[in-house]
Amino acid sequence: GKEVTESKAQTGDVILFGTRTTKGHRAYHAGIIYENRAGQIKIIHCISKGVHITSDYDKYWKSRKMLITNVLDYPSKLEVSQVKK
């Protein structure tokens, strides 16, 4: 997918939580952007109690964000197909 900023994140984008270092990246949790209203992000993800829609992104998750990627619209305006001859 294509990496996007928090301000451009939209419903359906995948968000990964983890660490980025010069030696590589390590994702330890993932979610899907449920809603982004004026920078107030809600994510849907699985926690020990089951599927959860969280509204505490700024309090807990924001500092753990590794990247947000758009996979639904990427690549935009291109169709991928395989034609057998």
Side-chain angles (χ1 to χ4, degrees):
K2 180 181 176 184
E3 188 170 350
V4 296
T5 63
E6 287 177 334
S7 63
K8 302 261 184 192
Q10 56 188 325
T11 301
D13 289 347
V14 175
I15 185 166
L16 297 176
F17 301 95
T19 56
R20 285 183 169 192
T21 67
T22 56
K23 295 180 181 180
H25 309 320
R26 181 179 176 267
Y28 57 78
H29 191 72
I32 298 171
I33 300 292
Y34 177 76
E35 183 178 76
N36 186 359
R37 289 191 181 184
Q40 297 296 315
I41 293 176
K42 291 183 180 180
I43 59 172
I44 187 166
H45 58 126
C46 291
I47 59 174
S48 59
K49 297 177 184 176
V51 177
H52 180 70
I53 297 173
T54 187
S55 57
D56 66 348
Y57 176 78
D58 284 343
K59 291 180 186 174
Y60 181 81
W61 292 102
K62 186 173 186 162
S63 65
R64 293 160 172 81
K65 176 192 64 88
M66 190 171 80
L67 70 93
I68 301 172
T69 184
N70 177 286
V71 293
L72 296 176
D73 296 335
Y74 186 82
S76 65
K77 299 180 183 178
L78 295 177
E79 183 178 328
V80 178
S81 62
Q82 185 176 10
V83 178
K84 291 185 178 184
K85 292 183 180 188

